[in-house]
Structures are given as structure tokens and as C-alpha cells.
Amino acid sequence: MTASVSIGEKKQFVRWFLQSYKMKRRECIWILNYMLSNEELLEKTHFVEEAHYCPRAMVMSSTESKEIPFRFYKGNLMTADAEKSFHDLRLNPDDDLYVQLNFPNIPPPALYLSVLEENPYVPKNASVNEQDRLIAEKILEESMSIFQEETIHKQIDEALDANDRDRFFELSAMLQAFKTLKKDGE
């Protein structure tokens, strides 16, 4: 995640996003196009996850997302009225705006990662989101696979040291089957 993202990078990302995804609400397209035309606003815009924790935030979803179509948060207020949020953007261009875009992002596109910033308002004890859970599961699965393969290699070495020919062939076949399964799973 990047600490400081240039206006050019944000423009490139928003253009790519608008070309790549359809939004659940057409007003979201208007808002994103307005951001492209207003560099002062874009400079104060931060693309984050879990935007609902932020003091002034907007959540927009593509049609492929299962998330809410649109929400605008300001202080303790929340609205699904995109026109009110657009009015707030025009009246307060100097206030920081945190934007969460919900779209299929696994694996995360490079342009998205280039503009994604750390959300400074997420509480330290916030629960793990679905994307983090999926990444953790994948890491665990890969670690288990590596451990199993190393264990078989160690047992093959022990069979060789013990001159146990039958055990060696049994383990070699097991290793070959494991590698075939692993290759098919990729």
C-alpha cells in the first residue's frame, strides 16, 4: 500500500476502473467522472478498504459485487442518496474523502494496488475481512503442501539409509502422485 499517491496515478486508475466495470448505480459513474475533472478533489481522495470507518467516505460497487450499491458517510450520518453526496463533494473539495470500490479484485489488479492506501481509521481490533481470510487460507494450504513434500523426501532419505528398497519405491510413488496432484491443482 502506498503512502502518497499522485494525481496522475489516481486518474489512470479511475479511467481504468470506469472502462473495466459497470456500476450498480449510474450516479457512481458521474461521481467518478467528476473526480477525474477536479484535480483538487482527486488530490484529497484516498482509495481505501473499510471506508465506513472514515469521517467522510464513499462506498461504490460494481455490478459483479455482492456489496451495497452506494453509501456516503459523513461524521455520524450515512446516506444512500448519491445526489446529496455529490453536493457535499462540490461544497467541500478541501476535505479528505475516502473511497472504497467494491469489485472483483482477487487477485488485486496492479493499478488498484498502486492507488490503495492504508486506512488510518480502521480500529486495531477490527475483524479480518474476507479477502484477508482467503489469502491466509492460500498461504496455509501452500505451507501444508511444502511440509508434506518435505516429509516424504525425509522418509525417502531414511529408506535409502536403511536400504529398505520396498519402502523407497512406495514413497517414491507417493511423492510422484503428490506432485501430480499438486500440479493439477494449480
Side-chain angles (χ1 to χ4, degrees):
M1 294 189 196
T2 311
S4 179
V5 182
S6 73
I7 293 172
E9 290 171 313
K10 291 176 186 179
K11 280 186 174 184
Q12 184 181 14
F13 168 70
V14 172
R15 283 188 190 110
W16 169 82
F17 185 83
L18 286 168
Q19 290 172 353
S20 302
Y21 296 98
K22 295 183 191 292
M23 304 303 289
K24 287 185 177 183
R25 302 260 313 264
R26 68 178 183 272
E27 294 92 340
C28 295
I29 297 168
W30 300 341
I31 291 169
L32 290 170
N33 277 312
Y34 178 70
M35 285 179 181
L36 283 173
S37 68
N38 188 326
E39 289 192 358
E40 292 80 23
L41 173 62
L42 204 53
E43 185 176 0
K44 293 290 195 169
T45 300
H46 309 277
F47 294 96
V48 298
E49 294 177 342
E50 306 294 334
H52 59 278
Y53 290 115
C54 301
R56 183 172 178 236
M58 199 174 287
V59 177
M60 297 183 253
S61 298
S62 72
T63 53
E64 300 89 353
S65 171
K66 295 176 184 162
E67 305 292 326
I68 55 173
F70 178 85
R71 288 290 186 277
F72 180 71
Y73 302 88
K74 186 165 185 178
N76 294 328
L77 302 175
M78 187 249 335
T79 183
D81 187 340
E83 288 183 30
K84 285 183 183 176
S85 63
F86 184 70
H87 186 66
D88 185 82
L89 292 180
R90 289 182 300 148
L91 289 177
N92 304 296
D94 296 328
D95 293 349
D96 283 323
L97 174 67
Y98 295 87
V99 176
Q100 174 182 332
L101 295 173
N102 297 319
F103 63 103
N105 60 4
I106 296 179
L111 276 175
Y112 176 59
L113 291 176
S114 72
V115 299
L116 187 63
E117 296 181 48
E118 188 92 25
N119 185 337
Y121 298 98
V122 174
K124 300 255 187 279
N125 60 355
S127 62
V128 176
N129 67 26
E130 182 66 15
Q131 182 178 355
D132 290 341
R133 188 187 64 74
L134 292 172
I135 291 169
E137 281 182 13
K138 185 170 176 75
I139 291 170
L140 179 61
E141 187 177 302
E142 289 174 3
S143 297
M144 290 298 294
S145 177
I146 291 168
F147 174 76
Q148 288 173 331
E149 190 171 347
E150 288 175 352
T151 300
I152 295 171
H153 278 286
K154 185 178 177 189
Q155 290 174 341
I156 288 173
D157 289 345
E158 290 170 359
L160 285 171
D161 290 343
N163 265 343
D164 187 344
R165 190 173 180 192
D166 293 336
R167 182 78 174 138
F168 170 78
F169 286 119
E170 176 187 331
L171 290 167
S172 295
M174 187 185 299
L175 180 62
Q176 190 61 39
F178 180 81
K179 285 184 177 182
T180 302
L181 275 174
K182 186 175 166 183
K183 186 178 179 183
D184 291 345
E186 294 179 347

mmCIF file of all heavy atoms in Angstrom, residues 1-3 5 10 13 44-60 97-103 105 112 115-122 129 131:
data_model
loop_
_atom_site.group_PDB
_atom_site.id
_atom_site.type_symbol
_atom_site.label_atom_id
_atom_site.label_comp_id
_atom_site.label_asym_id
_atom_site.label_seq_id
_atom_site.Cartn_x
_atom_site.Cartn_y
_atom_site.Cartn_z
ATOM 1 N N MET A 1 0.839 -1.180 0.000
ATOM 2 C CA MET A 1 0.000 0.000 0.000
ATOM 3 C C MET A 1 0.879 1.237 0.000
ATOM 4 O O MET A 1 1.909 1.273 0.658
ATOM 5 C CB MET A 1 -0.929 -0.003 1.201
ATOM 6 C CG MET A 1 -1.939 -1.115 1.154
ATOM 7 S SD MET A 1 -3.158 -0.917 2.430
ATOM 8 C CE MET A 1 -3.836 -2.535 2.414
ATOM 9 N N THR A 2 0.453 2.228 -0.708
ATOM 10 C CA THR A 2 1.259 3.411 -0.914
ATOM 11 C C THR A 2 0.873 4.513 0.064
ATOM 12 O O THR A 2 -0.283 4.703 0.378
ATOM 13 C CB THR A 2 1.048 3.917 -2.362
ATOM 14 O OG1 THR A 2 1.196 2.823 -3.255
ATOM 15 C CG2 THR A 2 2.023 4.987 -2.718
ATOM 16 N N ALA A 3 1.879 5.262 0.529
ATOM 17 C CA ALA A 3 1.624 6.344 1.466
ATOM 18 C C ALA A 3 1.126 7.581 0.731
ATOM 19 O O ALA A 3 0.192 8.234 1.165
ATOM 20 C CB ALA A 3 2.875 6.659 2.265
ATOM 21 N N VAL A 5 -0.019 8.962 -3.104
ATOM 22 C CA VAL A 5 -0.346 8.568 -4.467
ATOM 23 C C VAL A 5 -0.543 9.833 -5.295
ATOM 24 O O VAL A 5 -1.242 10.757 -4.882
ATOM 25 C CB VAL A 5 -1.634 7.706 -4.495
ATOM 26 C CG1 VAL A 5 -1.952 7.265 -5.913
ATOM 27 C CG2 VAL A 5 -1.496 6.510 -3.572
ATOM 28 N N LYS A 10 -3.947 8.287 -9.704
ATOM 29 C CA LYS A 10 -5.373 8.183 -9.385
ATOM 30 C C LYS A 10 -6.218 8.315 -10.643
ATOM 31 O O LYS A 10 -7.178 7.554 -10.838
ATOM 32 C CB LYS A 10 -5.766 9.253 -8.359
ATOM 33 C CG LYS A 10 -5.167 9.023 -6.978
ATOM 34 C CD LYS A 10 -5.513 10.150 -6.027
ATOM 35 C CE LYS A 10 -4.796 10.012 -4.704
ATOM 36 N NZ LYS A 10 -5.091 11.108 -3.780
ATOM 37 N N PHE A 13 -5.992 5.116 -12.644
ATOM 38 C CA PHE A 13 -6.785 4.064 -12.023
ATOM 39 C C PHE A 13 -8.278 4.272 -12.258
ATOM 40 O O PHE A 13 -8.988 3.340 -12.642
ATOM 41 C CB PHE A 13 -6.512 3.973 -10.523
ATOM 42 C CG PHE A 13 -7.507 3.114 -9.802
ATOM 43 C CD1 PHE A 13 -7.526 1.740 -9.992
ATOM 44 C CD2 PHE A 13 -8.458 3.681 -8.963
ATOM 45 C CE1 PHE A 13 -8.464 0.936 -9.353
ATOM 46 C CE2 PHE A 13 -9.393 2.887 -8.313
ATOM 47 C CZ PHE A 13 -9.400 1.515 -8.517
ATOM 48 N N LYS A 44 -7.381 15.107 -2.746
ATOM 49 C CA LYS A 44 -7.867 14.819 -1.388
ATOM 50 C C LYS A 44 -8.576 13.471 -1.289
ATOM 51 O O LYS A 44 -9.079 13.108 -0.237
ATOM 52 C CB LYS A 44 -8.836 15.923 -0.931
ATOM 53 C CG LYS A 44 -8.180 17.272 -0.735
ATOM 54 C CD LYS A 44 -7.282 17.208 0.474
ATOM 55 C CE LYS A 44 -6.876 18.585 0.935
ATOM 56 N NZ LYS A 44 -6.237 18.538 2.216
ATOM 57 N N THR A 45 -8.638 12.733 -2.403
ATOM 58 C CA THR A 45 -9.312 11.438 -2.426
ATOM 59 C C THR A 45 -8.314 10.327 -2.133
ATOM 60 O O THR A 45 -7.212 10.305 -2.677
ATOM 61 C CB THR A 45 -9.972 11.199 -3.800
ATOM 62 O OG1 THR A 45 -10.926 12.242 -4.030
ATOM 63 C CG2 THR A 45 -10.671 9.856 -3.851
ATOM 64 N N HIS A 46 -8.707 9.414 -1.256
ATOM 65 C CA HIS A 46 -7.863 8.284 -0.871
ATOM 66 C C HIS A 46 -8.656 7.001 -1.103
ATOM 67 O O HIS A 46 -9.774 6.872 -0.600
ATOM 68 C CB HIS A 46 -7.468 8.382 0.609
ATOM 69 C CG HIS A 46 -6.897 9.713 0.976
ATOM 70 N ND1 HIS A 46 -5.582 10.030 0.758
ATOM 71 C CD2 HIS A 46 -7.476 10.809 1.532
ATOM 72 C CE1 HIS A 46 -5.357 11.275 1.172
ATOM 73 N NE2 HIS A 46 -6.499 11.766 1.639
ATOM 74 N N PHE A 47 -8.085 6.077 -1.852
ATOM 75 C CA PHE A 47 -8.739 4.790 -2.092
ATOM 76 C C PHE A 47 -8.307 3.827 -0.985
ATOM 77 O O PHE A 47 -7.111 3.575 -0.798
ATOM 78 C CB PHE A 47 -8.378 4.253 -3.477
ATOM 79 C CG PHE A 47 -8.921 5.121 -4.577
ATOM 80 C CD1 PHE A 47 -8.127 6.095 -5.170
ATOM 81 C CD2 PHE A 47 -10.234 4.984 -4.996
ATOM 82 C CE1 PHE A 47 -8.634 6.913 -6.170
ATOM 83 C CE2 PHE A 47 -10.751 5.800 -5.996
ATOM 84 C CZ PHE A 47 -9.952 6.770 -6.585
ATOM 85 N N VAL A 48 -9.293 3.345 -0.236
ATOM 86 C CA VAL A 48 -9.020 2.513 0.934
ATOM 87 C C VAL A 48 -10.006 1.351 0.992
ATOM 88 O O VAL A 48 -10.973 1.297 0.231
ATOM 89 C CB VAL A 48 -9.139 3.328 2.247
ATOM 90 C CG1 VAL A 48 -8.122 4.455 2.305
ATOM 91 C CG2 VAL A 48 -10.545 3.879 2.441
ATOM 92 N N GLU A 49 -9.756 0.454 1.907
ATOM 93 C CA GLU A 49 -10.711 -0.599 2.250
ATOM 94 C C GLU A 49 -11.338 -0.214 3.578
ATOM 95 O O GLU A 49 -10.772 0.571 4.342
ATOM 96 C CB GLU A 49 -9.990 -1.948 2.338
ATOM 97 C CG GLU A 49 -9.450 -2.393 0.990
ATOM 98 C CD GLU A 49 -8.661 -3.685 1.047
ATOM 99 O OE1 GLU A 49 -8.229 -4.082 2.149
ATOM 100 O OE2 GLU A 49 -8.480 -4.285 -0.012
ATOM 101 N N GLU A 50 -12.510 -0.755 3.847
ATOM 102 C CA GLU A 50 -13.232 -0.476 5.101
ATOM 103 C C GLU A 50 -13.468 1.035 5.287
ATOM 104 O O GLU A 50 -13.241 1.585 6.362
ATOM 105 C CB GLU A 50 -12.455 -1.043 6.302
ATOM 106 C CG GLU A 50 -12.122 -2.515 6.196
ATOM 107 C CD GLU A 50 -13.333 -3.424 6.228
ATOM 108 O OE1 GLU A 50 -14.368 -3.048 6.797
ATOM 109 O OE2 GLU A 50 -13.231 -4.538 5.671
ATOM 110 N N ALA A 51 -13.939 1.679 4.246
ATOM 111 C CA ALA A 51 -14.124 3.135 4.260
ATOM 112 C C ALA A 51 -15.157 3.602 5.279
ATOM 113 O O ALA A 51 -15.119 4.754 5.716
ATOM 114 C CB ALA A 51 -14.507 3.629 2.872
ATOM 115 N N HIS A 52 -16.070 2.736 5.682
ATOM 116 C CA HIS A 52 -17.121 3.152 6.607
ATOM 117 C C HIS A 52 -16.565 3.631 7.953
ATOM 118 O O HIS A 52 -17.261 4.281 8.711
ATOM 119 C CB HIS A 52 -18.146 2.028 6.815
ATOM 120 C CG HIS A 52 -17.551 0.774 7.357
ATOM 121 N ND1 HIS A 52 -16.919 -0.151 6.548
ATOM 122 C CD2 HIS A 52 -17.471 0.299 8.614
ATOM 123 C CE1 HIS A 52 -16.483 -1.146 7.304
ATOM 124 N NE2 HIS A 52 -16.808 -0.902 8.554
ATOM 125 N N TYR A 53 -15.310 3.333 8.248
ATOM 126 C CA TYR A 53 -14.683 3.828 9.488
ATOM 127 C C TYR A 53 -14.220 5.285 9.364
ATOM 128 O O TYR A 53 -13.913 5.918 10.359
ATOM 129 C CB TYR A 53 -13.469 2.966 9.851
ATOM 130 C CG TYR A 53 -13.806 1.573 10.326
ATOM 131 C CD1 TYR A 53 -13.424 0.460 9.596
ATOM 132 C CD2 TYR A 53 -14.493 1.371 11.521
ATOM 133 C CE1 TYR A 53 -13.718 -0.826 10.035
ATOM 134 C CE2 TYR A 53 -14.795 0.095 11.960
ATOM 135 C CZ TYR A 53 -14.404 -0.998 11.220
ATOM 136 O OH TYR A 53 -14.700 -2.259 11.653
ATOM 137 N N CYS A 54 -14.154 5.798 8.155
ATOM 138 C CA CYS A 54 -13.596 7.125 7.909
ATOM 139 C C CYS A 54 -14.615 8.232 8.179
ATOM 140 O O CYS A 54 -15.816 8.025 8.058
ATOM 141 C CB CYS A 54 -13.101 7.212 6.466
ATOM 142 S SG CYS A 54 -11.851 5.985 6.074
ATOM 143 N N PRO A 55 -14.122 9.441 8.507
ATOM 144 C CA PRO A 55 -15.043 10.548 8.810
ATOM 145 C C PRO A 55 -15.841 11.034 7.602
ATOM 146 O O PRO A 55 -16.951 11.526 7.748
ATOM 147 C CB PRO A 55 -14.115 11.650 9.317
ATOM 148 C CG PRO A 55 -12.738 11.265 8.927
ATOM 149 C CD PRO A 55 -12.719 9.788 8.718
ATOM 150 N N ARG A 56 -15.293 10.887 6.407
ATOM 151 C CA ARG A 56 -16.003 11.271 5.177
ATOM 152 C C ARG A 56 -15.642 10.234 4.126
ATOM 153 O O ARG A 56 -14.506 10.183 3.657
ATOM 154 C CB ARG A 56 -15.570 12.663 4.730
ATOM 155 C CG ARG A 56 -16.302 13.171 3.503
ATOM 156 C CD ARG A 56 -15.923 14.630 3.270
ATOM 157 N NE ARG A 56 -16.537 15.176 2.098
ATOM 158 C CZ ARG A 56 -15.860 15.736 1.095
ATOM 159 N NH1 ARG A 56 -14.545 15.812 1.125
ATOM 160 N NH2 ARG A 56 -16.494 16.240 0.063
ATOM 161 N N ALA A 57 -16.616 9.399 3.789
ATOM 162 C CA ALA A 57 -16.307 8.258 2.932
ATOM 163 C C ALA A 57 -17.426 7.957 1.961
ATOM 164 O O ALA A 57 -18.586 8.291 2.197
ATOM 165 C CB ALA A 57 -16.026 7.027 3.791
ATOM 166 N N MET A 58 -17.033 7.267 0.905
ATOM 167 C CA MET A 58 -17.976 6.860 -0.119
ATOM 168 C C MET A 58 -17.672 5.403 -0.474
ATOM 169 O O MET A 58 -16.514 5.041 -0.655
ATOM 170 C CB MET A 58 -17.780 7.757 -1.349
ATOM 171 C CG MET A 58 -18.907 7.779 -2.291
ATOM 172 S SD MET A 58 -18.624 9.006 -3.601
ATOM 173 C CE MET A 58 -18.879 10.525 -2.702
ATOM 174 N N VAL A 59 -18.714 4.604 -0.559
ATOM 175 C CA VAL A 59 -18.577 3.200 -0.958
ATOM 176 C C VAL A 59 -19.405 3.002 -2.220
ATOM 177 O O VAL A 59 -20.587 3.330 -2.243
ATOM 178 C CB VAL A 59 -19.062 2.252 0.165
ATOM 179 C CG1 VAL A 59 -18.992 0.801 -0.293
ATOM 180 C CG2 VAL A 59 -18.272 2.462 1.442
ATOM 181 N N MET A 60 -18.745 2.490 -3.270
ATOM 182 C CA MET A 60 -19.417 2.254 -4.543
ATOM 183 C C MET A 60 -19.125 0.823 -4.990
ATOM 184 O O MET A 60 -18.021 0.330 -4.782
ATOM 185 C CB MET A 60 -18.912 3.233 -5.605
ATOM 186 C CG MET A 60 -19.209 4.676 -5.287
ATOM 187 S SD MET A 60 -18.669 5.762 -6.620
ATOM 188 C CE MET A 60 -17.242 6.516 -5.858
ATOM 189 N N LEU A 97 -11.480 12.740 1.367
ATOM 190 C CA LEU A 97 -12.538 11.805 1.007
ATOM 191 C C LEU A 97 -11.913 10.422 0.870
ATOM 192 O O LEU A 97 -10.914 10.252 0.172
ATOM 193 C CB LEU A 97 -13.197 12.204 -0.319
ATOM 194 C CG LEU A 97 -14.219 11.223 -0.882
ATOM 195 C CD1 LEU A 97 -15.461 11.157 0.008
ATOM 196 C CD2 LEU A 97 -14.598 11.605 -2.306
ATOM 197 N N TYR A 98 -12.500 9.448 1.533
ATOM 198 C CA TYR A 98 -12.017 8.076 1.475
ATOM 199 C C TYR A 98 -13.010 7.258 0.656
ATOM 200 O O TYR A 98 -14.201 7.235 0.966
ATOM 201 C CB TYR A 98 -11.846 7.511 2.887
ATOM 202 C CG TYR A 98 -10.762 8.257 3.640
ATOM 203 C CD1 TYR A 98 -11.068 9.418 4.352
ATOM 204 C CD2 TYR A 98 -9.446 7.834 3.587
ATOM 205 C CE1 TYR A 98 -10.075 10.118 5.017
ATOM 206 C CE2 TYR A 98 -8.453 8.532 4.254
ATOM 207 C CZ TYR A 98 -8.774 9.677 4.965
ATOM 208 O OH TYR A 98 -7.780 10.371 5.609
ATOM 209 N N VAL A 99 -12.519 6.611 -0.393
ATOM 210 C CA VAL A 99 -13.376 5.893 -1.324
ATOM 211 C C VAL A 99 -13.045 4.406 -1.290
ATOM 212 O O VAL A 99 -11.885 4.008 -1.407
ATOM 213 C CB VAL A 99 -13.210 6.429 -2.767
ATOM 214 C CG1 VAL A 99 -14.030 5.623 -3.755
ATOM 215 C CG2 VAL A 99 -13.582 7.903 -2.830
ATOM 216 N N GLN A 100 -14.100 3.607 -1.144
ATOM 217 C CA GLN A 100 -13.973 2.149 -1.219
ATOM 218 C C GLN A 100 -14.725 1.701 -2.456
ATOM 219 O O GLN A 100 -15.914 1.971 -2.598
ATOM 220 C CB GLN A 100 -14.569 1.497 0.024
ATOM 221 C CG GLN A 100 -14.613 -0.014 -0.038
ATOM 222 C CD GLN A 100 -15.265 -0.615 1.203
ATOM 223 O OE1 GLN A 100 -15.237 -0.044 2.282
ATOM 224 N NE2 GLN A 100 -15.867 -1.774 1.028
ATOM 225 N N LEU A 101 -14.027 1.015 -3.353
ATOM 226 C CA LEU A 101 -14.656 0.472 -4.552
ATOM 227 C C LEU A 101 -14.761 -1.034 -4.399
ATOM 228 O O LEU A 101 -13.752 -1.713 -4.194
ATOM 229 C CB LEU A 101 -13.835 0.828 -5.794
ATOM 230 C CG LEU A 101 -13.758 2.319 -6.111
ATOM 231 C CD1 LEU A 101 -12.778 2.573 -7.249
ATOM 232 C CD2 LEU A 101 -15.122 2.872 -6.463
ATOM 233 N N ASN A 102 -15.979 -1.531 -4.483
ATOM 234 C CA ASN A 102 -16.213 -2.973 -4.381
ATOM 235 C C ASN A 102 -16.323 -3.545 -5.786
ATOM 236 O O ASN A 102 -17.238 -3.201 -6.534
ATOM 237 C CB ASN A 102 -17.494 -3.256 -3.596
ATOM 238 C CG ASN A 102 -17.409 -2.760 -2.177
ATOM 239 O OD1 ASN A 102 -16.392 -2.896 -1.514
ATOM 240 N ND2 ASN A 102 -18.490 -2.173 -1.682
ATOM 241 N N PHE A 103 -15.385 -4.398 -6.137
ATOM 242 C CA PHE A 103 -15.353 -5.044 -7.442
ATOM 243 C C PHE A 103 -14.537 -6.320 -7.303
ATOM 244 O O PHE A 103 -13.812 -6.487 -6.323
ATOM 245 C CB PHE A 103 -14.757 -4.111 -8.503
ATOM 246 C CG PHE A 103 -13.313 -3.735 -8.261
ATOM 247 C CD1 PHE A 103 -12.302 -4.331 -8.995
ATOM 248 C CD2 PHE A 103 -12.970 -2.781 -7.314
ATOM 249 C CE1 PHE A 103 -10.975 -3.992 -8.790
ATOM 250 C CE2 PHE A 103 -11.636 -2.437 -7.096
ATOM 251 C CZ PHE A 103 -10.641 -3.044 -7.843
ATOM 252 N N ASN A 105 -11.673 -8.257 -7.102
ATOM 253 C CA ASN A 105 -10.268 -7.836 -7.065
ATOM 254 C C ASN A 105 -9.348 -8.902 -6.483
ATOM 255 O O ASN A 105 -8.404 -8.596 -5.776
ATOM 256 C CB ASN A 105 -10.110 -6.508 -6.325
ATOM 257 C CG ASN A 105 -10.580 -6.569 -4.892
ATOM 258 O OD1 ASN A 105 -10.968 -7.633 -4.404
ATOM 259 N ND2 ASN A 105 -10.545 -5.457 -4.201
ATOM 260 N N TYR A 112 -4.934 -1.063 -9.089
ATOM 261 C CA TYR A 112 -5.643 -0.896 -7.818
ATOM 262 C C TYR A 112 -4.636 -0.827 -6.661
ATOM 263 O O TYR A 112 -4.707 0.046 -5.815
ATOM 264 C CB TYR A 112 -6.632 -2.040 -7.624
ATOM 265 C CG TYR A 112 -7.371 -2.028 -6.298
ATOM 266 C CD1 TYR A 112 -8.149 -0.941 -5.928
ATOM 267 C CD2 TYR A 112 -7.290 -3.108 -5.434
ATOM 268 C CE1 TYR A 112 -8.845 -0.936 -4.724
ATOM 269 C CE2 TYR A 112 -7.979 -3.108 -4.229
ATOM 270 C CZ TYR A 112 -8.746 -2.022 -3.875
ATOM 271 O OH TYR A 112 -9.430 -2.007 -2.682
ATOM 272 N N VAL A 115 -2.839 2.529 -6.119
ATOM 273 C CA VAL A 115 -3.537 3.671 -5.508
ATOM 274 C C VAL A 115 -4.104 3.351 -4.128
ATOM 275 O O VAL A 115 -4.532 4.247 -3.408
ATOM 276 C CB VAL A 115 -4.679 4.214 -6.404
ATOM 277 C CG1 VAL A 115 -4.136 4.710 -7.732
ATOM 278 C CG2 VAL A 115 -5.768 3.194 -6.606
ATOM 279 N N LEU A 116 -4.119 2.075 -3.763
ATOM 280 C CA LEU A 116 -4.695 1.673 -2.482
ATOM 281 C C LEU A 116 -3.827 2.192 -1.340
ATOM 282 O O LEU A 116 -2.621 1.979 -1.316
ATOM 283 C CB LEU A 116 -4.812 0.149 -2.411
ATOM 284 C CG LEU A 116 -5.558 -0.411 -1.206
ATOM 285 C CD1 LEU A 116 -7.022 0.037 -1.217
ATOM 286 C CD2 LEU A 116 -5.483 -1.928 -1.215
ATOM 287 N N GLU A 117 -4.462 2.868 -0.393
ATOM 288 C CA GLU A 117 -3.744 3.419 0.752
ATOM 289 C C GLU A 117 -4.210 2.743 2.036
ATOM 290 O O GLU A 117 -5.308 2.206 2.100
ATOM 291 C CB GLU A 117 -3.997 4.931 0.860
ATOM 292 C CG GLU A 117 -3.462 5.712 -0.328
ATOM 293 C CD GLU A 117 -3.693 7.203 -0.201
ATOM 294 O OE1 GLU A 117 -3.399 7.766 0.880
ATOM 295 O OE2 GLU A 117 -4.181 7.804 -1.170
ATOM 296 N N GLU A 118 -3.363 2.793 3.032
ATOM 297 C CA GLU A 118 -3.703 2.266 4.353
ATOM 298 C C GLU A 118 -4.820 3.130 4.931
ATOM 299 O O GLU A 118 -4.759 4.356 4.860
ATOM 300 C CB GLU A 118 -2.473 2.347 5.255
ATOM 301 C CG GLU A 118 -2.649 1.672 6.581
ATOM 302 C CD GLU A 118 -2.195 0.233 6.549
ATOM 303 O OE1 GLU A 118 -1.349 -0.115 5.724
ATOM 304 O OE2 GLU A 118 -2.718 -0.527 7.374
ATOM 305 N N ASN A 119 -5.847 2.514 5.464
ATOM 306 C CA ASN A 119 -6.942 3.261 6.075
ATOM 307 C C ASN A 119 -6.547 3.590 7.515
ATOM 308 O O ASN A 119 -6.472 2.713 8.358
ATOM 309 C CB ASN A 119 -8.232 2.438 6.053
ATOM 310 C CG ASN A 119 -9.425 3.203 6.551
ATOM 311 O OD1 ASN A 119 -9.293 4.166 7.297
ATOM 312 N ND2 ASN A 119 -10.601 2.771 6.149
ATOM 313 N N PRO A 120 -6.310 4.879 7.800
ATOM 314 C CA PRO A 120 -5.850 5.260 9.151
ATOM 315 C C PRO A 120 -6.947 5.184 10.209
ATOM 316 O O PRO A 120 -6.657 5.296 11.399
ATOM 317 C CB PRO A 120 -5.384 6.707 8.960
ATOM 318 C CG PRO A 120 -6.194 7.218 7.810
ATOM 319 C CD PRO A 120 -6.426 6.030 6.910
ATOM 320 N N TYR A 121 -8.183 4.961 9.794
ATOM 321 C CA TYR A 121 -9.295 4.975 10.743
ATOM 322 C C TYR A 121 -9.791 3.587 11.143
ATOM 323 O O TYR A 121 -10.689 3.477 11.966
ATOM 324 C CB TYR A 121 -10.465 5.790 10.171
ATOM 325 C CG TYR A 121 -10.084 7.235 9.952
ATOM 326 C CD1 TYR A 121 -9.700 7.699 8.699
ATOM 327 C CD2 TYR A 121 -10.064 8.130 11.016
ATOM 328 C CE1 TYR A 121 -9.322 9.022 8.510
ATOM 329 C CE2 TYR A 121 -9.693 9.450 10.833
ATOM 330 C CZ TYR A 121 -9.319 9.883 9.582
ATOM 331 O OH TYR A 121 -8.951 11.179 9.410
ATOM 332 N N VAL A 122 -9.236 2.547 10.555
ATOM 333 C CA VAL A 122 -9.662 1.190 10.915
ATOM 334 C C VAL A 122 -9.181 0.891 12.336
ATOM 335 O O VAL A 122 -7.994 1.023 12.630
ATOM 336 C CB VAL A 122 -9.102 0.135 9.937
ATOM 337 C CG1 VAL A 122 -9.424 -1.275 10.396
ATOM 338 C CG2 VAL A 122 -9.661 0.362 8.549
ATOM 339 N N ASN A 129 -11.121 -9.243 7.163
ATOM 340 C CA ASN A 129 -12.103 -9.242 6.077
ATOM 341 C C ASN A 129 -11.973 -10.512 5.225
ATOM 342 O O ASN A 129 -11.040 -11.300 5.382
ATOM 343 C CB ASN A 129 -11.993 -7.970 5.228
ATOM 344 C CG ASN A 129 -10.698 -7.888 4.442
ATOM 345 O OD1 ASN A 129 -10.074 -8.884 4.118
ATOM 346 N ND2 ASN A 129 -10.293 -6.667 4.120
ATOM 347 N N GLN A 131 -11.214 -11.024 2.088
ATOM 348 C CA GLN A 131 -10.019 -11.114 1.239
ATOM 349 C C GLN A 131 -8.820 -11.577 2.072
ATOM 350 O O GLN A 131 -8.068 -12.440 1.622
ATOM 351 C CB GLN A 131 -9.738 -9.765 0.596
ATOM 352 C CG GLN A 131 -8.547 -9.791 -0.341
ATOM 353 C CD GLN A 131 -8.307 -8.449 -1.000
ATOM 354 O OE1 GLN A 131 -9.070 -7.515 -0.836
ATOM 355 N NE2 GLN A 131 -7.235 -8.355 -1.746
#
